[in-house]
Amino acid sequence: MNTHSDTDRFQEIEDKVTSGKRLGFDDGLFLFESNDVIRIGQIADIARKRQNGNHAYFVYNQHINYTNVCINHCRFCAYAKKSGESGAYAWTAADIRERILSRIAEPIRELHIVGGLNPALPFDYYEDILHTAQELRPDAVIKGFTAVELDFIARNSGLSLEDAIHRLKAAGLSMLPGGGAEVMSSRVREQLFPRKIDAGRWLEVMEIAHHAGLTANATMLYGHIETCAERVSHLLALRELQDRTSGFCAFIPLAFHPANTRLSHLPSTTAFDDLKVIAISRLLLDNFPHIKAYWVMIGEKLTQLALSFGADDLDGTIIEERIFHTAGATSPKGLTRDQLRHMITSAGYTPIERDSFYNPVSESAN
Ligand code: V47
Ligand code: SF4
């Protein structure tokens, strides 16, 4: 139950949002510490409607997870394997060609290409897979390689980050997915992902990519050992970079899935927390055009509800998602366009099929 002072505090936050004033650290902390998810959602909906009206976006996309070999061994990851371990794989450009061709009749607009940090793959491997993707799917945007992968790909090939980005762009890369940011806290990093690039480097890679003309998404992995204050600091660090570059397109909160990880003793996130993170992200990230409710992570039903709690995007059809399903996600591996449209219209929103940059795609395409 809200106390008198909570009611005043919510009103103060709502007034700020209504009048376009920016929320601060203390506002974010208050919201994360509150259990009044309905009131938080109601305020987030004001910001959502102002930025995206009644629209709810989705994309016809295909995920390609080119290798699960990774040297980072993050404790929250169920997907990565050591080189030579049973189940470890690295697809060749020919394997990727086959995957893309197996869906070539479908109107796919985005190829989402990510994988582990695999030292055996030379730089021209990445150029080859981008060329293959571009040749087979000239109308799709290639969104690939997180800031963590980009940093590794450059270092592993002895290239500067700027040169690596320049060459990957020339081979067809147009956008970066938001992964690898995890929670920007050295405390959490030390315990869960000590080998991964730190927050400063993640932000630096993104800044360099933005300046090189690559749009990117951003994420936050929540629901493990992070505190409310660490969540707020993470969101404010993203907001600060976005103020300087305007290079981010969407923010995607990623709910931690503990199954098959070294943190399998932790509980899964709750619906309350999932909705709160989406809503508070919408409120703090006032300079991010879009907030994505990733149906793979939180399930179709909660995703539909998230549209009234700040989210305006559901990601997409996906097809063959591997990373979260290895970590116990029970959602389907893909959804059809009609299923996505139905989720949106039955929640009272207008579905807009989009490309990676949120340009509407004509309904008649295929
Ligand atoms: O960085 C790994 C996360 C991320 C688990 O940009 C886990 O449109 C939950 O970047 N439970 C990669 N999360 C995924 C990613 C992404 C996904 C969807 C859309 C976009 C986009 C980007 O997955 C990693 C890590 O934070 N992750 N393991 C796990 N067990
Ligand atoms: Fe490697 Fe990414 Fe898994 Fe970490 S989360 S172990 S960097 S694949």
Side-chain angles (χ1 to χ4, degrees):
M1 212 179 74
N2 286 332
T3 62
H4 244 314
S5 71
D6 283 353
T7 308
D8 291 350
R9 198 70 182 87
F10 273 120
Q11 192 55 52
E12 206 182 302
I13 290 174
E14 179 173 339
D15 291 345
K16 277 192 184 176
V17 172
T18 314
S19 61
K21 282 204 194 105
R22 193 159 248 199
L23 300 188
F25 183 91
D26 290 345
D27 298 318
L29 194 58
F30 167 78
L31 293 170
F32 272 120
E33 284 175 350
S34 163
N35 277 324
D36 195 344
V37 70
I38 299 297
R39 184 77 174 102
I40 298 168
Q42 185 199 358
I43 304 175
D45 195 47
I46 298 170
R48 185 244 194 262
K49 291 254 162 60
R50 186 166 53 218
Q51 266 168 294
N52 290 293
N54 205 44
H55 293 165
Y57 295 89
F58 68 95
V59 61
Y60 205 123
N61 60 356
Q62 178 175 13
H63 278 213
I64 297 177
N65 299 133
Y66 57 92
T67 184
N68 62 354
V69 173
C70 187
I71 54 169
N72 264 1
H73 312 303
C74 304
R75 291 190 70 203
F76 57 78
C77 180
Y79 171 71
K81 301 265 185 208
K82 292 191 180 118
S83 172
E85 192 180 337
S86 143
Y89 73 87
W91 289 339
T92 62
D95 295 330
I96 289 170
R97 172 177 290 272
E98 211 177 289
R99 299 255 156 194
I100 297 174
L101 285 176
S102 72
R103 301 276 181 175
I104 205 69
E106 296 175 44
I108 286 166
R109 292 297 178 147
E110 175 182 274
L111 293 174
H112 178 128
I113 305 180
V114 290
L117 311 187
N118 184 341
L121 303 175
F123 193 80
D124 57 8
Y125 168 85
Y126 301 97
E127 289 180 311
D128 279 355
I129 64 176
L130 290 170
H131 284 139
T132 304
Q134 202 177 36
E135 176 207 327
L136 298 176
R137 280 281 178 208
D139 295 332
V141 170
I142 305 177
K143 179 177 81 179
F145 315 129
T146 64
V148 174
E149 286 166 273
L150 269 189
D151 173 78
F152 171 78
I153 292 168
R155 275 188 296 114
N156 195 45
S157 324
L159 292 173
S160 70
L161 183 65
E162 286 81 354
D163 286 348
I165 290 177
H166 180 74
R167 283 176 60 178
L168 295 173
K169 268 186 80 181
L173 184 67
S174 294
M175 189 173 181
L176 303 185
E182 318 316 355
V183 177
M184 296 195 213
S185 144
S186 47
R187 182 191 73 87
V188 177
R189 175 169 176 266
E190 236 166 73
Q191 293 185 50
L192 301 192
F193 47 95
R195 296 182 196 213
K196 189 165 266 179
I197 55 170
D198 64 14
R201 180 62 179 161
W202 189 92
L203 291 165
E204 186 182 31
V205 172
M206 280 299 188
E207 184 157 10
I208 291 170
H210 292 171
H211 287 309
L214 287 174
T215 309
N217 289 336
T219 58
M220 174 172 76
L221 178 71
Y222 68 94
H224 39 87
I225 61 162
E226 83 288 2
T227 63
C228 292
E230 284 164 341
R231 289 178 180 180
V232 177
S233 299
H234 180 101
L235 295 170
L236 296 188
L238 294 176
R239 185 171 84 180
E240 195 273 327
L241 177 57
Q242 178 74 335
D243 274 343
R244 286 188 289 114
T245 64
S246 300
F248 288 118
C249 199
F251 174 73
I252 309 130
L254 297 172
F256 174 55
H257 278 55
N260 304 319
T261 74
R262 281 180 284 157
L263 301 172
S264 58
H265 56 284
L266 293 179
S268 299
T269 62
T270 62
F272 248 58
D273 211 21
D274 294 335
L275 289 178
K276 263 168 54 172
V277 176
I278 285 173
I280 299 166
S281 305
R282 177 63 292 162
L283 289 169
L284 291 183
L285 297 177
D286 53 8
N287 53 4
F288 272 61
H290 302 284
I291 303 291
K292 204 184 270 195
Y294 191 39
W295 64 261
V296 175
M297 308 295 278
I298 59 171
E300 295 138 274
K301 292 190 176 178
L302 198 57
T303 297
Q304 193 184 32
L305 206 52
L307 292 174
S308 299
F309 282 76
D312 61 279
D313 187 273
L314 308 184
D315 198 89
T317 52
I318 300 187
I319 309 171
E320 280 192 89
E321 198 287 323
R322 286 168 175 258
I323 298 178
F324 308 114
H325 285 92
T326 324
T330 52
S331 51
K333 288 198 175 169
L335 288 177
T336 65
R337 239 178 183 176
D338 284 348
Q339 284 171 314
L340 288 164
R341 280 205 197 98
H342 177 66
M343 271 164 77
I344 295 169
T345 51
S346 60
Y349 292 89
T350 308
I352 313 246
E353 185 172 342
R354 61 166 177 88
D355 67 12
S356 307
F357 305 113
Y358 291 81
N359 301 307
V361 167
S362 115
E363 294 274 318
S364 60
N366 285 34

